[in-house]
């Protein structure tokens, strides 16, 4: 836990508990770390009446103890959520960044806070009161996930070029064929590739096998010729970066955006996660039942997968309305 040396002891113990006792994935632990560090920095900023220009990432929270956390009430949490909704800059690198982050991002941070207080009140009983026990999550606008059409998917694959062409093509093929998450792709090792499937470690360190077709196998084989000539710092990794390390989630994000731009697609509307949506939609369009798609995607809850059935129903409705016969009306003859 040296990587969390900038955290107070109580937060480090929470992270250790979720990593070693709950067995949650490193991605989940990292999200807890970032979200709770931001929360505690914000509370300290408000409590200590620091200068208004003080940046959150400049605030040292290593001295925060249980007494400080015991003093946090529901109003403090509301203030933090208000800051996230109205003042937090989501993408500071943009020319004209928007203020306020999306409801889904605020919900994730509130979930981290709720887990933290549940740990302190229920698991370890260090606190008697939970100020967030009854807080509701931000209302999320329900919308159908975006996905690429068959033609757009083909254009994306055909547009791949550059120094890492074989690697990038294999990555896109895995996204579009297997519907895996970015974090799952980053975690793939060479030994996770079998003749017709890959072994994936998903959320909660749960393992599953995902099968792929001959075109995806061909793309992986072409890349492996190149990969086997390289030595990485973590030589187990299936995909490496140009600096010789295991490829990162950020690097995957960038290569997908690059391919989208090369294909003439709107890179602001699509992403690696949208390729996962595309794979799920194509599976359902091809007649795969929703329960099987759930297993392929690694969804714990079937309701998460069923959103794609709404997409499929929408496509079927569009197809029906596009049929010229659907506009003929001879009801008056009946």
């Amino acid at each position: 836990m040296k990587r969390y040396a900038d955290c107070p002891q109580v937060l480090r113990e929470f992270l250790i508990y979720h990593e070693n006792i709950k067995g949650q994935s490193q991605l989940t632990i990292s999200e807890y770390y970032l979200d709770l560090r931001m929360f505690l920095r914000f509370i300290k900023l408000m409590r200590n009446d620091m200068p208004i220009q003080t940046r959150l990432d400049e605030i040292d929270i290593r001295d925060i103890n249980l007494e400080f956390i015991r003093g946090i009430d529901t109003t403090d949490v509301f203030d933090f959520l208000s800051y996230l909704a109205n003042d937090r800059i989501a993408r500071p690198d943009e020319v004209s960044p928007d203020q306020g982050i999306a409801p889904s991002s605020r919900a994730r941070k509130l979930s981290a806070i709720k887990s933290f207080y549940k740990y302190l009140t229920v698991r370890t009983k260090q606190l008697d009161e939970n100020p967030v026990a009854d807080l509701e999550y931000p209302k999320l606008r329900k919308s159908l996930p975006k996905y690429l059409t068959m033609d757009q998917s083909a254009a994306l694959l055909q547009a791949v070029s550059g120094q890492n062409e074989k690697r990038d093509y294999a990555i896109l093929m895995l996204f579009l064929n297997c519907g895996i998450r970015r974090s799952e792709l980053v975690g793939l090792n060479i030994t996770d590739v079998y003749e017709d499937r890959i072994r994936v470690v998903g959320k909660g360190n749960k393992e599953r096998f995902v099968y792929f077709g001959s075109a995806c196998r061909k793309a992986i084989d072409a890349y492996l010729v190149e990969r086997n000539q390289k030595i990485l710092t973590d030589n187990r990794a299936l995909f490496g970066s140009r600096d010789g390390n295991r490829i990162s989630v950020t690097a995957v994000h960038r290569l997908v955006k690059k391919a989208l731009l090369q294909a003439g697609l709107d890179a602001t509307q699509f992403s690696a996660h949208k390729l996962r949506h595309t794979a799920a939609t194509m599976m359902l369009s091809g007649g795969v039942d929703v329960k099987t798609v759930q297993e392929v995607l690694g969804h714990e809850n079937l309701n998460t997968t069923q959103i794609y059935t709404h997409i499929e129903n929408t496509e079927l409705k569009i197809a029906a309305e596009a049929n010229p016969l659907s506009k003929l009306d001879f009801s008056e003859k009946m």
Side-chain angles (χ1 to χ4, degrees), residues 5 7 33 38 58 65 91 141 153 186 209 219 239 259 298 304 310:
C7 288
Y33 160 66
M38 180 190 296
E58 296 174 348
N65 56 25
R91 299 178 180 86
R141 182 174 63 87
S153 299
V186 167
F209 282 99
F239 295 109
T304 309
H310 300 316

Side-chain angles (χ1 to χ4, degrees), residues 1-21 29 32-33 36-37 40 60-65 69 116 119-120 124 126:
M1 281 290 171
K2 289 182 179 179
R3 58 189 178 278
Y4 304 131
D6 60 344
C7 288
Q9 181 65 24
V10 64
L11 179 51
R12 282 201 301 274
E13 291 171 354
F14 166 78
L15 297 173
I16 292 170
Y17 168 78
H18 277 273
E19 184 173 43
N20 297 329
I21 306 300
I29 302 301
Y32 279 155
Y33 160 66
L36 291 169
R37 186 180 64 172
L40 294 175
D60 186 354
I61 58 172
R62 287 175 296 179
D63 61 338
I64 284 180
N65 56 25
I69 294 172
F116 185 47
Y119 163 80
L120 291 173
T124 62
Q126 297 180 69

Side-chain angles (χ1 to χ4, degrees), residues 99-114:
Q99 286 188 302
I101 63 175
S104 57
S105 297
R106 302 200 306 271
R108 192 195 81 180
K109 288 172 171 50
L110 179 56
S111 177
I113 295 170
K114 280 177 170 284

Side-chain angles (χ1 to χ4, degrees), residues 244-258:
N245 295 318
R246 179 185 291 271
I247 198 169
S248 67
V249 169
T250 302
V252 171
H253 171 78
R254 287 174 180 164
L255 75 85
V256 171
K257 292 292 185 182
K258 176 187 174 184

Side-chain angles (χ1 to χ4, degrees), residues 81-229:
L81 295 175
S82 176
Y83 159 74
L84 295 176
N86 301 297
D87 301 313
R88 182 69 180 175
I89 296 177
R91 299 178 180 86
D93 295 334
E94 292 185 355
V95 177
S96 301
D98 294 330
Q99 286 188 302
I101 63 175
S104 57
S105 297
R106 302 200 306 271
R108 192 195 81 180
K109 288 172 171 50
L110 179 56
S111 177
I113 295 170
K114 280 177 170 284
S115 293
F116 185 47
Y117 275 98
K118 183 178 180 180
Y119 163 80
L120 291 173
T121 54
V122 178
R123 302 301 181 197
T124 62
K125 303 188 184 307
Q126 297 180 69
L127 295 181
D128 295 325
E129 296 184 7
N130 184 344
V132 296
D134 298 323
L135 278 190
E136 296 180 354
Y137 287 98
K139 188 173 182 179
L140 303 181
R141 182 174 63 87
K142 292 184 178 179
S143 59
L144 296 179
K146 294 182 182 295
Y147 61 95
L148 297 176
T149 64
M150 189 68 181
D151 288 342
Q152 288 173 327
S153 299
L156 178 67
L157 292 169
Q158 290 173 347
V160 178
S161 62
Q163 184 179 358
N164 297 304
E165 180 177 342
K166 287 185 173 59
R167 182 200 68 179
D168 295 355
Y169 186 80
I171 286 174
L172 293 175
M173 285 292 281
L174 280 169
F175 278 140
L176 289 170
N177 281 266
C178 300
I180 59 177
R181 302 176 177 93
R182 277 188 305 176
S183 58
E184 293 171 345
L185 181 131
V186 167
L188 286 176
N189 293 324
I190 294 176
T191 54
D192 292 328
V193 180
Y194 295 80
E195 184 64 29
D196 57 355
R197 62 198 184 279
I198 52 173
R199 185 184 70 91
V200 177
V201 180
K203 290 186 175 181
N205 287 324
K206 293 180 180 177
E207 298 181 8
R208 70 185 189 278
F209 282 99
V210 183
Y211 287 80
F212 49 71
S214 58
C216 190
R217 175 77 248 186
K218 184 177 178 181
I220 294 172
D221 287 341
Y223 164 68
L224 283 174
V225 173
E226 181 181 281
R227 167 65 183 88
N228 290 333
Q229 296 173 356

